[in-house]
Amino acid sequence: MGAEAAQPSVNPGVNKDMEAVAALERDAELMLRVRGGDETSFALLLERHRAPVVHFLYRMVQNQAVSEELAQEVFLRIYRSRANYQPTAKFTTWLFRIATHLALNWIRDGKKEKSQESLNEELLDGVERQVPDRQPTVEQELLHAVRLKEIRRAIEALPEKQRAAVILHKYEELDYAQIARALGCSQSAVKSLLFRAYETLRSRLAHMA
Amino acid sequence: MGCMKQSQEGARVLIEYCAGALDPVQAAEVERHLESCTDCRELAEKQMELWEALDGWKAPQVSADFDARLYARIAREQAAPSWKQWVRRIFEPAAPVVWWKPLASLGVAGAVLAVGLMMHTVPHPAGAPQVHADQVDIEQVAKALDDLDILAPVNPM
């Protein structure tokens, strides 16, 4: 029995959960230090969350320049409100709540049309960046570009909240409670949003299988 | 386990299964169900295909000067007059402020108060029946007294 007790946990899920808890505590701790005036902690928070926030916003607005502009606004607002920070909720939930709010506002303001011209150029840029190391044929590149374009269009065509829910769920791996907080709705509403969004996407992208 | 595809909750569990988000016990339960249910197996396969297709959409790398631009904005903001900083804090809060919720609460409270005041000031319609009830009581008392009068001579006293 003693030998059994001494054995480390074999469930990888438990280790993953413990790592997640440690990461959450780390975020709150860093933010509390930022509140105390520690600029280095803000730099660390920025380092940890810069890419997820920009990537989330990029998939929401589908424009790199706009996504970075909005991400800067997210971190600016966090910095601005550092004095009033209370670790009542997960830092990432707060972060994505701000990011979602800014993205939805940007989409609703109709700013998307203004950036449509650059979208096609970006599509090509994105394809170039995503080509694997081994040399693909021209045909493979074109096929990849077409598939990517279809995915982007299918997600773009989703209603705003469904789009945000899918991106937060699929790409940022947030749980239902976190998505609910980010979107300002109930968990059952999130389940419904995701159910309908995935149903639509399965239908629209069925031919790609 | 019934067909999971038939209910939204069941379909949600299937989606979580395809995302690899279920614990091993739940996942094993879903797998047992998929062995016997063609409809659910088909849905799970389609969801897996969708999941893989979505994996193909990678976001581009963040620009190298992202941090420099952010710190420049922070510096500009800190150099601004303090009244401007306060205005920004009020009109550009970190967490989105849901204005309609407190307004809706105030509206409901106001409506309840208004209805209460109206009910207080309007004459009570139940006044008439109340008077009638009083009259009935007086009549009953008078009749009882008359009865006593009638009985009085019979009293052996």
Side-chain angles (χ1 to χ4, degrees):
Chain A
M1 189 175 168
E4 279 174 16
Q7 278 181 349
S9 168
V10 290
N11 186 351
V14 172
N15 287 336
K16 197 180 168 188
D17 288 348
M18 286 174 72
E19 281 170 20
V21 169
L24 293 173
E25 286 172 355
R26 179 91 178 122
D27 283 340
E29 190 188 322
L30 285 172
M31 195 57 209
L32 286 170
R33 283 186 190 169
V34 175
R35 191 177 73 178
D38 182 6
E39 299 289 328
T40 315
S41 294
F42 182 74
L44 286 171
L45 275 172
L46 184 59
E47 183 64 35
R48 286 162 71 89
H49 300 289
R50 182 201 307 112
V53 171
V54 174
H55 291 168
F56 165 71
L57 288 163
Y58 171 76
R59 290 187 172 106
M60 282 296 288
V61 303
Q62 303 204 5
N63 179 295
Q64 189 174 5
V66 174
S67 67
E68 289 195 3
E69 187 70 16
L70 291 175
Q72 293 212 342
E73 187 64 32
V74 171
F75 287 106
L76 193 62
R77 288 187 185 202
I78 281 176
Y79 187 82
R80 198 184 286 156
S81 60
R82 65 196 181 282
N84 303 319
Y85 174 72
Q86 294 295 333
T88 50
K90 289 177 184 174
F91 179 78
T92 44
T93 308
W94 184 42
L95 193 67
F96 281 109
R97 183 165 162 74
I98 302 168
T100 306
H101 175 70
L102 290 173
L104 293 179
N105 273 358
W106 187 86
I107 292 166
R108 284 169 193 159
D109 285 351
K111 290 175 183 169
K112 192 157 185 60
E113 286 73 20
K114 294 174 193 168
S115 65
Q116 275 299 311
E117 289 168 13
S118 61
L119 185 61
N120 290 335
E121 289 168 22
E122 264 206 64
L123 264 171
L124 292 172
D125 288 351
V127 171
E128 200 176 340
R129 265 191 289 271
Q130 291 173 41
V131 168
D133 291 341
R134 60 188 172 75
Q135 288 294 315
T137 63
V138 175
E139 198 177 319
Q140 280 174 324
E141 272 188 44
L142 282 172
L143 185 67
H144 181 71
V146 169
R147 286 169 68 95
L148 190 61
K149 192 174 177 181
E150 284 184 33
I151 292 168
R152 290 175 62 145
R153 292 291 182 220
I155 289 182
E156 191 190 9
L158 290 173
E160 298 153 12
K161 279 203 167 183
Q162 285 187 28
R163 192 191 319 176
V166 163
I167 295 170
L168 290 171
H169 183 248
K170 164 66 186 149
Y171 296 103
E172 305 310 324
E173 298 181 350
L174 263 58
D175 60 31
Y176 292 115
Q178 286 181 295
I179 299 172
R181 280 195 166 212
L183 293 177
C185 62
S186 67
Q187 283 193 50
S188 57
V190 169
K191 288 175 188 175
S192 181
L193 283 172
L194 284 172
F195 176 79
R196 279 182 279 140
Y198 283 130
E199 199 171 37
T200 307
L201 290 175
R202 280 196 303 272
S203 159
R204 284 189 188 148
L205 301 172
H207 63 281
M208 283 175 64
Chain B
M1 186 188 280
C3 182
M4 298 173 76
K5 196 184 170 184
Q6 299 302 322
S7 71
Q8 192 166 319
E9 184 60 23
R12 183 193 66 76
V13 174
L14 268 181
I15 288 169
E16 288 302 292
Y17 167 76
C18 297
L22 293 183
D23 63 51
V25 178
Q26 282 181 305
E29 201 178 335
V30 172
E31 277 163 12
R32 275 197 300 277
H33 175 71
L34 293 181
E35 283 171 11
S36 60
C37 182
T38 319
D39 283 352
C40 288
R41 196 162 58 240
E42 194 181 318
L43 175 64
E45 280 167 8
K46 283 183 181 169
Q47 181 65 21
M48 291 269 202
E49 284 163 6
L50 172 66
W51 210 249
E52 281 171 21
L54 294 178
D55 277 335
W57 185 19
K58 309 283 184 213
Q61 284 190 335
V62 182
S63 302
D65 64 342
F66 181 90
D67 290 8
R69 283 186 286 139
L70 175 64
Y71 286 122
R73 282 181 74 171
I74 289 173
R76 270 201 306 276
E77 190 165 306
Q78 284 182 329
S82 56
W83 67 267
K84 263 192 176 178
Q85 293 178 31
W86 276 105
V87 167
R88 281 201 187 107
R89 276 176 205 163
I90 293 166
F91 290 101
E92 296 172 4
V97 179
V98 187
W99 294 103
W100 65 268
K101 280 188 179 174
L103 284 177
S105 304
L106 275 175
V108 169
V112 168
L113 194 67
V115 168
L117 283 171
M118 279 172 68
M119 286 176 73
H120 185 71
T121 50
V122 171
H124 203 282
Q130 199 177 353
V131 171
H132 180 69
D134 291 347
Q135 283 173 347
V136 170
D137 285 345
I138 290 164
E139 279 172 14
Q140 281 177 345
V141 170
K143 196 181 174 191
L145 287 171
D146 287 344
D147 290 343
L148 281 172
D149 282 342
I150 293 165
L151 289 172
V154 186
N155 199 320
M157 180 182 167

